[in-house]
Each structure stands twice: as C-alpha cells, then as structure tokens.
Amino acid sequence: MSRRVLALLLFAATPVAAQDEPIELADDPFEITDPIAAAPGTAEVGFVGIYERARQGRVRDTGAIQTEYEMGVLPRLELRLGQTGAYGNLETRRRLGTAVDLTDGDALPQQQEERERARAGGTSGLGLLYQLSEDRGAAPAIGLLGRVRTIYGPGRTAYEAEGVALVGKTFRPGRLPLGIHANLGLTTRIDPQPGDRPNRYLFNASIGQAVTSDLALVLTYALSQQERGDRDFSLLQVGFRHRLPNGAVVGVAGGAGLNRDTPALQISVAVQFAIGN
C-alpha cells in the first residue's frame, strides 16, 4: 500500500474516531450546566433561539437570542462570556422582567401601560467555571460557576451576581451513557431598589440518555425564585441533542411552565461549535 493511500485512509478515519466519543448530555438548549470545564486551548461557541408564549396579557409572545462563548484558560478553569437579547412580553423572560418594576398594586399608570406593550431587553454576563472533581468511580463531577450579569430593559439597568454548584454523574459509561445532572445556586441583586427581592434561589436537574453516540434524549426541570408576588419559575423541558458529522451539535427542546407565572409554552433551538483540539 502506498504512503499516499495510507495517509488518505488515516485522514478519513479521524472524524469517525472523534464521533465515537459520547455526546454531552447536559448543555444548551436545556436549562442545565455541565460541571466539566473546557481544556486549555479549546473553546466552544453556542447560539440559542427561544420562543415563549405567556399565559396572559395583550402581548404574549417573546422571542430571544442568546450567545455564549466558553474557553479553557487553565486546567479545570473555564471563562464564559454570554449575551442575551429579547423582545416581546418580558414577563416570561424572568431575568429580563426584573429590570423594571411592573408589579400590580401601586404601579404607576405609565408602568401599567408598559404591561400592554412589547418591550426589548437583554443581559450581558461574565463568568468563571472551576471543576473541583472528575466523574470517577462512585464520585460525581463537581464544579463551581460564578458570574456577574448586567440586565437592561425598558426601565433602569440592574446588576446581579450568581453562584451555582454543578454536579454531574454518568451511569453505564461507554458508548450509550445515562447521565444525571443538578445545579443549585443563589442569585444576588447588586444595589437592589425598594421592592426588589435581593436574593433568589435556583435548582435545575436533568436526566439524559444517549441512544446513539451522536444522539441523546434529555428531560430537564428548572425551578427558580422570582420577584415578590410571583410564583416560582417552574419549567419542564424535553428534547434531544444531535451531533452532526462536522462535530457541531444541534439541540431542540420543548417546554411548558407548571404555574401561571411561567410560560405556557417554550421552544428552544441551539447550535454549538467546538474550536481548537
């Protein structure tokens, strides 16, 4: 066999070998974060499109686009940059609806008018993820995620800090793993205004099952505290993540809120690209 033919065969086999690695079970577009930090010199960029339908109000539809860049800077340490923009009923976008007080009761006439109009808002975030341990034996992978976030919308600009503990455990490791993940965190409003809830908790959990090395089914439950007078954000999502031959991952999730203060319908689509080795 000539060297040229051998080189061509090795080149053709390289993508196939990479595809044999199991697909990640916890990531966009689901509301769950994996504790595994990117290796130094590698990065990932993700784009997520979101549609939400509110249960009430003259304006019920909200469209949002978010991007996130993740880069390994040191062993077990990952830098995260995120940006979100949304337009519509920002009450369904719980992180954006806190930028202005639109609660009932003592709301001013102009604030009540805001409820009846589509509005634009967004967030900018900077964070660090540190992986404390690996998923090995009976011990799960554990990570800590800290970030600061700027929230802007129709009212004043708000600032938040968030700390989240990330836990992930893979069962039946191999080509078709089953994984369970959980996120537990606390969000703190920086310089809260009168009526703001200064601290809010969150708890997200998911279970994912790989049905092929490139396709996983995922079920996620997201719970987080909202502003005073609103019930907790409670959302159930189901969908899949699929890895394409070029290595990009496409995810689709459908969800529904479990009470009146969460969206009646949520549809999310994500595309992720890996950069580096």
Side-chain angles (χ1 to χ4, degrees):
M1 184 180 295
S2 69
R3 292 182 178 179
R4 181 175 297 180
V5 174
L6 180 59
L8 290 174
L9 289 175
L10 290 174
F11 178 80
T14 300
V16 176
Q19 294 296 93
D20 286 340
E21 293 294 326
I23 188 171
E24 293 181 353
L25 302 177
D27 215 328
D28 294 334
F30 300 92
E31 301 222 6
I32 196 75
T33 301
D34 191 284
I36 306 302
T42 65
E44 183 178 89
V45 59
F47 303 90
V48 184
I50 303 169
Y51 167 77
E52 292 181 344
R53 176 74 174 174
R55 297 180 183 275
Q56 55 189 353
R58 193 175 72 179
V59 177
R60 297 195 181 186
D61 300 323
T62 300
I65 297 177
Q66 64 185 46
T67 62
E68 187 165 43
Y69 179 73
E70 305 169 8
M71 179 179 64
V73 292
L74 292 171
R76 297 194 175 191
L77 183 64
E78 176 183 282
L79 173 68
R80 293 190 166 212
L81 303 173
Q83 179 70 42
T84 300
Y87 180 77
N89 183 342
L90 297 188
E91 295 295 318
T92 66
R93 294 268 80 202
R94 61 196 184 285
R95 292 176 181 169
L96 303 182
T98 59
V100 61
D101 183 8
L102 297 178
T103 56
D104 293 324
D106 297 331
L108 298 175
Q110 59 267 31
Q111 292 179 323
Q112 294 176 346
E113 183 181 348
E114 286 282 354
R115 280 184 173 274
E116 304 301 322
R117 296 188 301 174
R119 293 163 288 146
T123 66
S124 298
L126 171 65
L128 288 173
L129 187 157
Y130 182 70
Q131 183 180 343
L132 296 174
S133 64
E134 297 182 0
D135 184 356
R136 183 176 300 170
I142 300 175
L144 295 176
L145 173 63
R147 56 189 164 198
V148 291
R149 186 164 47 232
T150 300
I151 306 173
Y152 50 90
R156 62 178 177 80
T157 300
Y159 303 92
E160 291 182 344
E162 187 174 73
V164 186
L166 315 172
V167 181
K169 180 61 184 172
T170 300
F171 301 92
R172 300 200 309 266
R175 183 171 175 269
L176 302 178
L178 169 70
I180 295 178
H181 294 79
N183 299 165
L184 178 63
L186 181 69
T187 301
T188 298
R189 178 66 55 82
I190 301 172
D191 190 23
Q193 299 297 310
D196 285 349
R197 189 187 294 275
N199 300 294
R200 306 190 308 277
Y201 59 78
L202 68 88
F203 173 75
N204 301 342
S206 77
I207 180 170
Q209 173 65 64
V211 294
T212 73
S213 60
D214 297 319
L215 178 64
L217 303 180
V218 184
L219 175 67
T220 300
Y221 174 66
L223 174 70
S224 59
Q225 196 172 25
Q226 301 196 100
E227 292 301 315
R228 291 187 175 93
D230 291 335
R231 300 181 184 181
D232 288 350
F233 182 91
S234 182
L235 181 76
L236 191 64
Q237 291 178 304
V238 62
F240 65 87
R241 287 169 46 80
H242 176 60
R243 183 169 54 195
L244 304 177
N246 64 0
V249 176
V250 176
V252 177
L258 304 183
N259 61 52
R260 61 175 173 80
D261 293 323
T262 49
L265 172 68
Q266 183 195 79
I267 299 175
S268 306
V269 179
V271 181
Q272 297 171 306
F273 302 92
I275 304 173
N277 297 325

